[in-house]
Amino acid sequence: MTSRIHRFVVNAADGGTRLDKLLAQGVPGVGRKLARELCEQGRARVDGRRARAADPVRAGASVELTLDEQPTVGEPELDLDVRLELGSVLVVHKPPGQPSATLRPGERGTLVNALVARYPELAGIGHRLREPGLVHRLDTETSGLLVVARTEAAFGTLTRALRGGRLAKRYLAIVATRELPDQGVIEQPLGPDPSRRGRVRVVPEPEREYAKPSTTRFVVLERTPRFLLLELEAARAFRHQIRAHLASLGAPLVGDALYDGPAWPGAGARHALHASYVAWAGDRTVPSFAVNAGMPDDMRRLFGA
């Protein structure tokens, strides 16, 4: 087990915010519940002093959070589909049903278990030991392309690009409605859904509760009597962003039971979402790249059914 300390300084806009909310916003992989538990354990400090979850934190304060993490176990027997291999970056293709990263110590079968077995230099790169090199993640039942940094410098460059909307990402999705226009933009803030664990929802009053501004653009590529095939862009995707945004339009993904999508017979928990394209313009740290991954066979069969 290894301890890692996450540090950040509270900016002027966040001054006076509760500590647990700041931790959830400022430390990747930490939600409000975990933040409260860590505060109770004495793992959160403000300006060097132990602090409580409900304490408001002043602008300019230094916040530290200590997390215990276990390095990811490499599994060389796992398949790994590498679509681009450069000295500083990888683009890999994740199948549906495989988690991007581990959630529990010693967990196996995830994409990162395969990654660290083939690329041991990834260990220690990234926000957390359980997410070695991952610049972003995909939901377990989403297939497609993921960007992985092989150096600390590349990770810093690409995560800043992701936050700034400069890492291009596109998705293909199948929905069972004919009511959507040919193209559109969904600009709705998203936050945890208090009525259903594991979901997010459009937050109607973001000034009164935690929410992240979120923008999803879509274009209808093809219409059939049963389905629409969409291409979507979500440069700074919040957790479940595309899934929740489409559901808010009354057009949930086929197979997405969590967001009340129509059944996809024979597909198990799979939902019809695929990360089909990633691209970066390049700089002195990471060269330019663009990788396409067409619609997978299972979604192709569904759409043609």
Side-chain angles (χ1 to χ4, degrees):
M1 196 74 72
T2 301
S3 293
R4 180 178 290 200
I5 299 177
H6 297 260
R7 298 182 175 91
F8 61 93
V9 175
V10 180
N11 61 36
D14 290 331
T17 302
R18 287 173 54 114
L19 177 58
D20 57 350
K21 182 175 180 180
L22 286 174
L23 293 174
Q25 293 173 347
V27 181
V30 174
R32 291 285 289 274
K33 181 180 178 182
L34 178 56
R36 288 192 293 270
E37 293 173 355
L38 293 168
C39 290
E40 290 174 1
Q41 296 167 14
R43 293 178 172 270
R45 293 185 174 270
V46 176
D47 292 332
R49 297 181 178 181
R50 182 170 175 168
R52 297 175 301 175
D55 288 346
V57 184
R58 66 173 180 83
S62 177
V63 178
E64 294 185 356
L65 182 69
T66 302
L67 292 174
D68 288 337
E69 302 181 65
Q70 182 171 312
T72 301
V73 177
E75 291 186 84
E77 66 274 19
L78 291 179
D79 291 336
L80 183 63
D81 185 354
V82 179
R83 300 296 176 94
L84 175 72
E85 183 178 51
L86 302 175
S88 57
V89 68
L90 306 165
V91 177
V92 299
H93 185 280
K94 187 189 80 64
Q98 183 182 50
S100 297
T102 61
L103 293 177
R104 298 171 297 277
E107 185 176 354
R108 294 173 179 266
T110 74
L111 179 69
V112 297
N113 293 109
L115 278 167
V116 296
R118 183 163 169 181
Y119 301 96
E121 71 273 15
L122 298 179
I125 295 173
H127 294 304
R128 305 183 69 176
L129 292 179
R130 68 178 181 84
E131 300 172 355
L134 293 189
V135 175
H136 59 110
R137 294 181 298 178
L138 294 175
D139 293 335
T140 297
E141 296 302 334
T142 300
S143 59
L145 300 174
L146 276 167
V147 179
V148 182
R150 300 181 70 181
T151 67
E152 287 284 6
F155 184 81
T157 293
L158 293 171
T159 52
R160 286 191 295 272
L162 182 66
R163 289 194 297 269
R166 293 178 286 110
L167 184 64
K169 295 187 297 174
R170 295 203 290 265
Y171 301 79
L172 296 173
I174 298 174
V175 299
T177 180
R178 295 188 58 80
E179 301 304 317
L180 293 182
D182 289 341
Q183 59 185 17
V185 179
I186 311 167
E187 292 186 285
Q188 297 282 4
L190 297 173
D193 187 342
S195 67
R196 192 163 176 184
R197 185 175 180 180
R199 288 202 339 178
V200 301
R201 61 165 186 149
V202 169
V203 177
E205 298 181 277
E207 67 281 355
R208 300 185 63 180
E209 58 184 292
Y210 174 67
K212 283 192 174 182
S214 305
T215 301
T216 302
R217 293 176 170 82
F218 69 87
V219 175
V220 177
L221 298 181
E222 192 172 344
R223 297 176 185 265
T224 73
R226 293 184 61 194
F227 300 125
L228 298 184
L229 175 63
L230 309 178
E231 183 176 70
L232 306 106
E233 295 184 19
R236 292 184 60 189
F238 184 62
R239 178 173 176 262
H240 293 188
Q241 176 174 319
I242 288 174
R243 299 166 64 184
H245 269 169
L246 288 175
S248 75
L249 296 184
L253 297 169
V254 174
D256 194 354
L258 185 62
Y259 290 91
D260 303 317
W264 183 352
R270 166 75 154 141
H271 53 239
L273 182 63
H274 175 69
S276 59
Y277 176 83
V278 292
W280 162 242
D283 68 1
R284 290 178 296 177
T285 308
V286 182
S288 63
F289 62 83
V291 182
N292 282 284
M295 188 159 64
D297 290 342
D298 61 348
M299 286 178 57
R300 196 177 302 278
R301 289 192 296 269
L302 169 68
F303 192 69

mmCIF file of all heavy atoms in Angstrom, residues 147-190:
data_model
loop_
_atom_site.group_PDB
_atom_site.id
_atom_site.type_symbol
_atom_site.label_atom_id
_atom_site.label_comp_id
_atom_site.label_asym_id
_atom_site.label_seq_id
_atom_site.Cartn_x
_atom_site.Cartn_y
_atom_site.Cartn_z
ATOM 1 N N VAL A 147 -7.081 7.397 -24.406
ATOM 2 C CA VAL A 147 -5.739 7.970 -24.516
ATOM 3 C C VAL A 147 -4.973 7.688 -23.227
ATOM 4 O O VAL A 147 -5.488 7.916 -22.125
ATOM 5 C CB VAL A 147 -5.807 9.487 -24.783
ATOM 6 C CG1 VAL A 147 -4.406 10.084 -24.880
ATOM 7 C CG2 VAL A 147 -6.596 9.760 -26.060
ATOM 8 N N VAL A 148 -3.745 7.205 -23.377
ATOM 9 C CA VAL A 148 -2.911 6.825 -22.231
ATOM 10 C C VAL A 148 -1.558 7.522 -22.364
ATOM 11 O O VAL A 148 -0.901 7.406 -23.401
ATOM 12 C CB VAL A 148 -2.701 5.297 -22.190
ATOM 13 C CG1 VAL A 148 -1.864 4.898 -20.974
ATOM 14 C CG2 VAL A 148 -4.043 4.564 -22.198
ATOM 15 N N ALA A 149 -1.150 8.248 -21.337
ATOM 16 C CA ALA A 149 0.142 8.951 -21.342
ATOM 17 C C ALA A 149 1.238 8.026 -20.822
ATOM 18 O O ALA A 149 1.059 7.352 -19.802
ATOM 19 C CB ALA A 149 0.061 10.204 -20.484
ATOM 20 N N ARG A 150 2.386 8.023 -21.498
ATOM 21 C CA ARG A 150 3.505 7.157 -21.088
ATOM 22 C C ARG A 150 4.547 7.912 -20.270
ATOM 23 O O ARG A 150 5.476 7.289 -19.748
ATOM 24 C CB ARG A 150 4.160 6.542 -22.318
ATOM 25 C CG ARG A 150 3.231 5.684 -23.146
ATOM 26 C CD ARG A 150 3.922 5.068 -24.338
ATOM 27 N NE ARG A 150 4.878 4.031 -23.933
ATOM 28 C CZ ARG A 150 5.630 3.358 -24.788
ATOM 29 N NH1 ARG A 150 5.547 3.634 -26.103
ATOM 30 N NH2 ARG A 150 6.461 2.420 -24.359
ATOM 31 N N THR A 151 4.417 9.233 -20.171
ATOM 32 C CA THR A 151 5.353 10.037 -19.380
ATOM 33 C C THR A 151 4.560 11.044 -18.555
ATOM 34 O O THR A 151 3.427 11.392 -18.904
ATOM 35 C CB THR A 151 6.346 10.799 -20.273
ATOM 36 O OG1 THR A 151 5.640 11.794 -21.035
ATOM 37 C CG2 THR A 151 7.092 9.858 -21.237
ATOM 38 N N GLU A 152 5.173 11.529 -17.481
ATOM 39 C CA GLU A 152 4.513 12.554 -16.664
ATOM 40 C C GLU A 152 4.265 13.818 -17.470
ATOM 41 O O GLU A 152 3.225 14.469 -17.334
ATOM 42 C CB GLU A 152 5.369 12.869 -15.433
ATOM 43 C CG GLU A 152 5.377 11.786 -14.373
ATOM 44 C CD GLU A 152 4.104 11.761 -13.544
ATOM 45 O OE1 GLU A 152 3.157 12.507 -13.841
ATOM 46 O OE2 GLU A 152 4.058 10.963 -12.595
ATOM 47 N N ALA A 153 5.233 14.180 -18.317
ATOM 48 C CA ALA A 153 5.070 15.394 -19.121
ATOM 49 C C ALA A 153 3.888 15.257 -20.072
ATOM 50 O O ALA A 153 3.084 16.185 -20.236
ATOM 51 C CB ALA A 153 6.344 15.685 -19.901
ATOM 52 N N ALA A 154 3.761 14.086 -20.699
ATOM 53 C CA ALA A 154 2.640 13.867 -21.611
ATOM 54 C C ALA A 154 1.321 13.868 -20.861
ATOM 55 O O ALA A 154 0.317 14.408 -21.347
ATOM 56 C CB ALA A 154 2.823 12.544 -22.351
ATOM 57 N N PHE A 155 1.302 13.302 -19.666
ATOM 58 C CA PHE A 155 0.077 13.292 -18.872
ATOM 59 C C PHE A 155 -0.355 14.716 -18.529
ATOM 60 O O PHE A 155 -1.530 15.063 -18.660
ATOM 61 C CB PHE A 155 0.277 12.478 -17.587
ATOM 62 C CG PHE A 155 -0.968 12.349 -16.765
ATOM 63 C CD1 PHE A 155 -1.926 11.406 -17.096
ATOM 64 C CD2 PHE A 155 -1.198 13.168 -15.678
ATOM 65 C CE1 PHE A 155 -3.100 11.290 -16.350
ATOM 66 C CE2 PHE A 155 -2.356 13.060 -14.926
ATOM 67 C CZ PHE A 155 -3.303 12.117 -15.268
ATOM 68 N N GLY A 156 0.596 15.539 -18.119
ATOM 69 C CA GLY A 156 0.259 16.928 -17.807
ATOM 70 C C GLY A 156 -0.281 17.667 -19.017
ATOM 71 O O GLY A 156 -1.284 18.391 -18.931
ATOM 72 N N THR A 157 0.367 17.497 -20.160
ATOM 73 C CA THR A 157 -0.076 18.171 -21.379
ATOM 74 C C THR A 157 -1.476 17.744 -21.780
ATOM 75 O O THR A 157 -2.348 18.576 -22.076
ATOM 76 C CB THR A 157 0.905 17.866 -22.526
ATOM 77 O OG1 THR A 157 2.163 18.477 -22.246
ATOM 78 C CG2 THR A 157 0.384 18.392 -23.859
ATOM 79 N N LEU A 158 -1.715 16.441 -21.789
ATOM 80 C CA LEU A 158 -2.989 15.937 -22.296
ATOM 81 C C LEU A 158 -4.135 16.151 -21.320
ATOM 82 O O LEU A 158 -5.276 16.380 -21.749
ATOM 83 C CB LEU A 158 -2.845 14.456 -22.648
ATOM 84 C CG LEU A 158 -1.919 14.186 -23.838
ATOM 85 C CD1 LEU A 158 -1.657 12.689 -23.991
ATOM 86 C CD2 LEU A 158 -2.484 14.761 -25.133
ATOM 87 N N THR A 159 -3.886 16.095 -20.022
ATOM 88 C CA THR A 159 -4.973 16.383 -19.082
ATOM 89 C C THR A 159 -5.346 17.863 -19.115
ATOM 90 O O THR A 159 -6.525 18.204 -18.994
ATOM 91 C CB THR A 159 -4.607 15.956 -17.653
ATOM 92 O OG1 THR A 159 -3.348 16.512 -17.274
ATOM 93 C CG2 THR A 159 -4.535 14.440 -17.537
ATOM 94 N N ARG A 160 -4.360 18.733 -19.300
ATOM 95 C CA ARG A 160 -4.693 20.161 -19.468
ATOM 96 C C ARG A 160 -5.477 20.381 -20.757
ATOM 97 O O ARG A 160 -6.430 21.169 -20.790
ATOM 98 C CB ARG A 160 -3.411 21.009 -19.465
ATOM 99 C CG ARG A 160 -2.767 21.164 -18.089
ATOM 100 C CD ARG A 160 -1.679 22.209 -18.107
ATOM 101 N NE ARG A 160 -0.557 21.820 -18.950
ATOM 102 C CZ ARG A 160 0.489 21.108 -18.539
ATOM 103 N NH1 ARG A 160 0.546 20.684 -17.283
ATOM 104 N NH2 ARG A 160 1.477 20.803 -19.367
ATOM 105 N N ALA A 161 -5.090 19.665 -21.814
ATOM 106 C CA ALA A 161 -5.831 19.766 -23.070
ATOM 107 C C ALA A 161 -7.267 19.270 -22.910
ATOM 108 O O ALA A 161 -8.206 19.862 -23.446
ATOM 109 C CB ALA A 161 -5.115 18.964 -24.165
ATOM 110 N N LEU A 162 -7.432 18.187 -22.145
ATOM 111 C CA LEU A 162 -8.770 17.656 -21.900
ATOM 112 C C LEU A 162 -9.625 18.672 -21.156
ATOM 113 O O LEU A 162 -10.777 18.937 -21.538
ATOM 114 C CB LEU A 162 -8.662 16.355 -21.093
ATOM 115 C CG LEU A 162 -9.958 15.632 -20.777
ATOM 116 C CD1 LEU A 162 -10.612 15.102 -22.037
ATOM 117 C CD2 LEU A 162 -9.700 14.485 -19.799
ATOM 118 N N ARG A 163 -9.079 19.276 -20.098
ATOM 119 C CA ARG A 163 -9.835 20.273 -19.329
ATOM 120 C C ARG A 163 -10.169 21.494 -20.176
ATOM 121 O O ARG A 163 -11.216 22.117 -19.993
ATOM 122 C CB ARG A 163 -9.042 20.696 -18.095
ATOM 123 C CG ARG A 163 -8.953 19.628 -17.019
ATOM 124 C CD ARG A 163 -8.459 20.215 -15.711
ATOM 125 N NE ARG A 163 -7.114 20.752 -15.810
ATOM 126 C CZ ARG A 163 -5.998 20.066 -15.561
ATOM 127 N NH1 ARG A 163 -6.080 18.803 -15.190
ATOM 128 N NH2 ARG A 163 -4.806 20.638 -15.663
ATOM 129 N N GLY A 164 -9.283 21.828 -21.096
ATOM 130 C CA GLY A 164 -9.500 23.000 -21.939
ATOM 131 C C GLY A 164 -10.290 22.729 -23.199
ATOM 132 O O GLY A 164 -10.469 23.629 -24.032
ATOM 133 N N GLY A 165 -10.754 21.490 -23.377
ATOM 134 C CA GLY A 165 -11.538 21.154 -24.562
ATOM 135 C C GLY A 165 -10.715 21.046 -25.830
ATOM 136 O O GLY A 165 -11.264 21.128 -26.936
ATOM 137 N N ARG A 166 -9.402 20.822 -25.703
ATOM 138 C CA ARG A 166 -8.527 20.768 -26.882
ATOM 139 C C ARG A 166 -8.122 19.346 -27.272
ATOM 140 O O ARG A 166 -7.389 19.165 -28.240
ATOM 141 C CB ARG A 166 -7.272 21.620 -26.617
ATOM 142 C CG ARG A 166 -7.582 23.107 -26.512
ATOM 143 C CD ARG A 166 -6.363 23.940 -26.197
ATOM 144 N NE ARG A 166 -5.951 23.798 -24.798
ATOM 145 C CZ ARG A 166 -4.852 23.178 -24.384
ATOM 146 N NH1 ARG A 166 -4.038 22.627 -25.257
ATOM 147 N NH2 ARG A 166 -4.565 23.105 -23.089
ATOM 148 N N LEU A 167 -8.591 18.364 -26.526
ATOM 149 C CA LEU A 167 -8.416 16.969 -26.916
ATOM 150 C C LEU A 167 -9.727 16.526 -27.560
ATOM 151 O O LEU A 167 -10.742 16.370 -26.876
ATOM 152 C CB LEU A 167 -8.086 16.106 -25.694
ATOM 153 C CG LEU A 167 -7.791 14.630 -25.948
ATOM 154 C CD1 LEU A 167 -6.527 14.464 -26.789
ATOM 155 C CD2 LEU A 167 -7.648 13.867 -24.635
ATOM 156 N N ALA A 168 -9.714 16.367 -28.859
ATOM 157 C CA ALA A 168 -10.946 16.077 -29.595
ATOM 158 C C ALA A 168 -11.393 14.640 -29.336
ATOM 159 O O ALA A 168 -10.596 13.704 -29.439
ATOM 160 C CB ALA A 168 -10.738 16.296 -31.086
ATOM 161 N N LYS A 169 -12.678 14.469 -29.028
ATOM 162 C CA LYS A 169 -13.248 13.141 -28.816
ATOM 163 C C LYS A 169 -14.630 13.093 -29.446
ATOM 164 O O LYS A 169 -15.429 14.003 -29.250
ATOM 165 C CB LYS A 169 -13.357 12.829 -27.314
ATOM 166 C CG LYS A 169 -12.023 12.730 -26.575
ATOM 167 C CD LYS A 169 -12.239 12.259 -25.137
ATOM 168 C CE LYS A 169 -13.056 13.265 -24.364
ATOM 169 N NZ LYS A 169 -13.418 12.782 -23.015
ATOM 170 N N ARG A 170 -14.893 12.023 -30.187
ATOM 171 C CA ARG A 170 -16.219 11.835 -30.781
ATOM 172 C C ARG A 170 -16.723 10.434 -30.471
ATOM 173 O O ARG A 170 -15.941 9.497 -30.262
ATOM 174 C CB ARG A 170 -16.176 12.070 -32.302
ATOM 175 C CG ARG A 170 -15.835 13.504 -32.677
ATOM 176 C CD ARG A 170 -16.326 13.841 -34.074
ATOM 177 N NE ARG A 170 -15.588 13.155 -35.123
ATOM 178 C CZ ARG A 170 -14.557 13.669 -35.787
ATOM 179 N NH1 ARG A 170 -14.121 14.891 -35.500
ATOM 180 N NH2 ARG A 170 -13.950 12.987 -36.729
ATOM 181 N N TYR A 171 -18.042 10.314 -30.450
ATOM 182 C CA TYR A 171 -18.694 9.065 -30.072
ATOM 183 C C TYR A 171 -19.786 8.730 -31.085
ATOM 184 O O TYR A 171 -20.375 9.625 -31.703
ATOM 185 C CB TYR A 171 -19.339 9.191 -28.684
ATOM 186 C CG TYR A 171 -18.400 9.544 -27.569
ATOM 187 C CD1 TYR A 171 -17.979 10.867 -27.390
ATOM 188 C CD2 TYR A 171 -17.931 8.575 -26.688
ATOM 189 C CE1 TYR A 171 -17.105 11.205 -26.363
ATOM 190 C CE2 TYR A 171 -17.067 8.904 -25.654
ATOM 191 C CZ TYR A 171 -16.654 10.219 -25.499
ATOM 192 O OH TYR A 171 -15.797 10.555 -24.486
ATOM 193 N N LEU A 172 -20.095 7.439 -31.208
ATOM 194 C CA LEU A 172 -21.251 6.975 -31.958
ATOM 195 C C LEU A 172 -22.257 6.393 -30.972
ATOM 196 O O LEU A 172 -21.872 5.706 -30.022
ATOM 197 C CB LEU A 172 -20.849 5.903 -32.975
ATOM 198 C CG LEU A 172 -19.901 6.342 -34.090
ATOM 199 C CD1 LEU A 172 -19.463 5.136 -34.919
ATOM 200 C CD2 LEU A 172 -20.550 7.393 -34.979
ATOM 201 N N ALA A 173 -23.531 6.670 -31.193
ATOM 202 C CA ALA A 173 -24.569 6.196 -30.291
ATOM 203 C C ALA A 173 -25.806 5.823 -31.090
ATOM 204 O O ALA A 173 -26.086 6.399 -32.150
ATOM 205 C CB ALA A 173 -24.927 7.275 -29.268
ATOM 206 N N ILE A 174 -26.558 4.859 -30.558
ATOM 207 C CA ILE A 174 -27.824 4.447 -31.161
ATOM 208 C C ILE A 174 -28.938 4.692 -30.153
ATOM 209 O O ILE A 174 -28.863 4.242 -29.003
ATOM 210 C CB ILE A 174 -27.793 2.959 -31.567
ATOM 211 C CG1 ILE A 174 -26.700 2.721 -32.617
ATOM 212 C CG2 ILE A 174 -29.160 2.533 -32.119
ATOM 213 C CD1 ILE A 174 -26.491 1.258 -32.975
ATOM 214 N N VAL A 175 -29.967 5.428 -30.580
ATOM 215 C CA VAL A 175 -31.127 5.703 -29.740
ATOM 216 C C VAL A 175 -32.390 5.302 -30.481
ATOM 217 O O VAL A 175 -32.415 5.289 -31.714
ATOM 218 C CB VAL A 175 -31.197 7.192 -29.321
ATOM 219 C CG1 VAL A 175 -29.961 7.573 -28.520
ATOM 220 C CG2 VAL A 175 -31.330 8.102 -30.546
ATOM 221 N N ALA A 176 -33.435 4.971 -29.726
ATOM 222 C CA ALA A 176 -34.693 4.505 -30.321
ATOM 223 C C ALA A 176 -35.740 5.603 -30.260
ATOM 224 O O ALA A 176 -36.706 5.531 -29.511
ATOM 225 C CB ALA A 176 -35.174 3.249 -29.600
ATOM 226 N N THR A 177 -35.526 6.639 -31.045
ATOM 227 C CA THR A 177 -36.505 7.726 -31.146
ATOM 228 C C THR A 177 -36.340 8.372 -32.509
ATOM 229 O O THR A 177 -35.280 8.273 -33.123
ATOM 230 C CB THR A 177 -36.294 8.773 -30.046
ATOM 231 O OG1 THR A 177 -37.276 9.818 -30.203
ATOM 232 C CG2 THR A 177 -34.925 9.407 -30.134
ATOM 233 N N ARG A 178 -37.364 9.019 -32.980
ATOM 234 C CA ARG A 178 -37.255 9.763 -34.236
ATOM 235 C C ARG A 178 -37.519 11.248 -34.003
ATOM 236 O O ARG A 178 -37.731 12.000 -34.950
ATOM 237 C CB ARG A 178 -38.225 9.203 -35.270
ATOM 238 C CG ARG A 178 -37.912 7.764 -35.683
ATOM 239 C CD ARG A 178 -38.770 7.315 -36.847
ATOM 240 N NE ARG A 178 -38.604 8.170 -38.007
ATOM 241 C CZ ARG A 178 -37.572 8.083 -38.864
ATOM 242 N NH1 ARG A 178 -36.615 7.204 -38.650
ATOM 243 N NH2 ARG A 178 -37.510 8.887 -39.898
ATOM 244 N N GLU A 179 -37.521 11.664 -32.756
ATOM 245 C CA GLU A 179 -37.931 13.020 -32.427
ATOM 246 C C GLU A 179 -36.794 14.037 -32.409
ATOM 247 O O GLU A 179 -37.044 15.223 -32.258
ATOM 248 C CB GLU A 179 -38.629 13.017 -31.058
ATOM 249 C CG GLU A 179 -39.852 12.115 -30.983
ATOM 250 C CD GLU A 179 -40.887 12.448 -32.041
ATOM 251 O OE1 GLU A 179 -41.131 13.650 -32.254
ATOM 252 O OE2 GLU A 179 -41.433 11.519 -32.644
ATOM 253 N N LEU A 180 -35.563 13.605 -32.540
ATOM 254 C CA LEU A 180 -34.449 14.544 -32.468
ATOM 255 C C LEU A 180 -34.283 15.293 -33.790
ATOM 256 O O LEU A 180 -34.493 14.728 -34.870
ATOM 257 C CB LEU A 180 -33.143 13.813 -32.153
ATOM 258 C CG LEU A 180 -33.014 13.177 -30.773
ATOM 259 C CD1 LEU A 180 -31.635 12.544 -30.621
ATOM 260 C CD2 LEU A 180 -33.251 14.196 -29.678
ATOM 261 N N PRO A 181 -33.864 16.561 -33.738
ATOM 262 C CA PRO A 181 -33.536 17.285 -34.968
ATOM 263 C C PRO A 181 -32.256 16.721 -35.578
ATOM 264 O O PRO A 181 -31.561 15.903 -34.970
ATOM 265 C CB PRO A 181 -33.334 18.721 -34.479
ATOM 266 C CG PRO A 181 -32.923 18.574 -33.056
ATOM 267 C CD PRO A 181 -33.670 17.382 -32.532
ATOM 268 N N ASP A 182 -31.922 17.179 -36.771
ATOM 269 C CA ASP A 182 -30.737 16.660 -37.461
ATOM 270 C C ASP A 182 -29.446 16.962 -36.719
ATOM 271 O O ASP A 182 -28.458 16.247 -36.863
ATOM 272 C CB ASP A 182 -30.653 17.226 -38.879
ATOM 273 C CG ASP A 182 -31.722 16.651 -39.800
ATOM 274 O OD1 ASP A 182 -32.279 15.581 -39.461
ATOM 275 O OD2 ASP A 182 -32.007 17.265 -40.843
ATOM 276 N N GLN A 183 -29.433 18.027 -35.948
ATOM 277 C CA GLN A 183 -28.264 18.339 -35.129
ATOM 278 C C GLN A 183 -28.709 19.215 -33.960
ATOM 279 O O GLN A 183 -29.784 19.803 -33.976
ATOM 280 C CB GLN A 183 -27.182 19.050 -35.933
ATOM 281 C CG GLN A 183 -27.611 20.356 -36.555
ATOM 282 C CD GLN A 183 -26.514 20.941 -37.439
ATOM 283 O OE1 GLN A 183 -25.575 20.267 -37.842
ATOM 284 N NE2 GLN A 183 -26.632 22.219 -37.724
ATOM 285 N N GLY A 184 -27.855 19.265 -32.936
ATOM 286 C CA GLY A 184 -28.215 20.065 -31.781
ATOM 287 C C GLY A 184 -27.098 20.145 -30.765
ATOM 288 O O GLY A 184 -26.075 19.452 -30.875
ATOM 289 N N VAL A 185 -27.285 21.018 -29.799
ATOM 290 C CA VAL A 185 -26.343 21.201 -28.703
ATOM 291 C C VAL A 185 -27.112 21.092 -27.400
ATOM 292 O O VAL A 185 -28.141 21.751 -27.218
ATOM 293 C CB VAL A 185 -25.628 22.573 -28.780
ATOM 294 C CG1 VAL A 185 -24.661 22.732 -27.605
ATOM 295 C CG2 VAL A 185 -24.899 22.742 -30.100
ATOM 296 N N ILE A 186 -26.619 20.250 -26.502
ATOM 297 C CA ILE A 186 -27.228 20.091 -25.176
ATOM 298 C C ILE A 186 -26.301 20.777 -24.176
ATOM 299 O O ILE A 186 -25.175 20.321 -23.958
ATOM 300 C CB ILE A 186 -27.397 18.610 -24.806
ATOM 301 C CG1 ILE A 186 -28.054 17.836 -25.950
ATOM 302 C CG2 ILE A 186 -28.211 18.471 -23.522
ATOM 303 C CD1 ILE A 186 -27.970 16.328 -25.790
ATOM 304 N N GLU A 187 -26.753 21.875 -23.608
ATOM 305 C CA GLU A 187 -25.966 22.607 -22.607
ATOM 306 C C GLU A 187 -26.734 22.587 -21.298
ATOM 307 O O GLU A 187 -27.544 23.470 -21.033
ATOM 308 C CB GLU A 187 -25.693 24.031 -23.079
ATOM 309 C CG GLU A 187 -24.766 24.105 -24.272
ATOM 310 C CD GLU A 187 -24.385 25.526 -24.634
ATOM 311 O OE1 GLU A 187 -25.247 26.215 -25.213
ATOM 312 O OE2 GLU A 187 -23.243 25.929 -24.352
ATOM 313 N N GLN A 188 -26.489 21.553 -20.516
ATOM 314 C CA GLN A 188 -27.211 21.368 -19.263
ATOM 315 C C GLN A 188 -26.213 20.941 -18.186
ATOM 316 O O GLN A 188 -25.457 19.986 -18.379
ATOM 317 C CB GLN A 188 -28.280 20.287 -19.402
ATOM 318 C CG GLN A 188 -29.386 20.615 -20.404
ATOM 319 C CD GLN A 188 -30.403 21.582 -19.832
ATOM 320 O OE1 GLN A 188 -30.250 22.067 -18.716
ATOM 321 N NE2 GLN A 188 -31.442 21.874 -20.594
ATOM 322 N N PRO A 189 -26.210 21.617 -17.022
ATOM 323 C CA PRO A 189 -25.306 21.215 -15.939
ATOM 324 C C PRO A 189 -25.717 19.864 -15.366
ATOM 325 O O PRO A 189 -26.909 19.548 -15.286
ATOM 326 C CB PRO A 189 -25.470 22.336 -14.910
ATOM 327 C CG PRO A 189 -26.835 22.894 -15.180
ATOM 328 C CD PRO A 189 -27.053 22.766 -16.658
ATOM 329 N N LEU A 190 -24.732 19.065 -14.971
ATOM 330 C CA LEU A 190 -24.984 17.728 -14.465
ATOM 331 C C LEU A 190 -24.435 17.562 -13.053
ATOM 332 O O LEU A 190 -23.398 18.132 -12.703
ATOM 333 C CB LEU A 190 -24.341 16.678 -15.381
ATOM 334 C CG LEU A 190 -24.873 16.605 -16.810
ATOM 335 C CD1 LEU A 190 -24.026 15.642 -17.627
ATOM 336 C CD2 LEU A 190 -26.332 16.186 -16.828
#
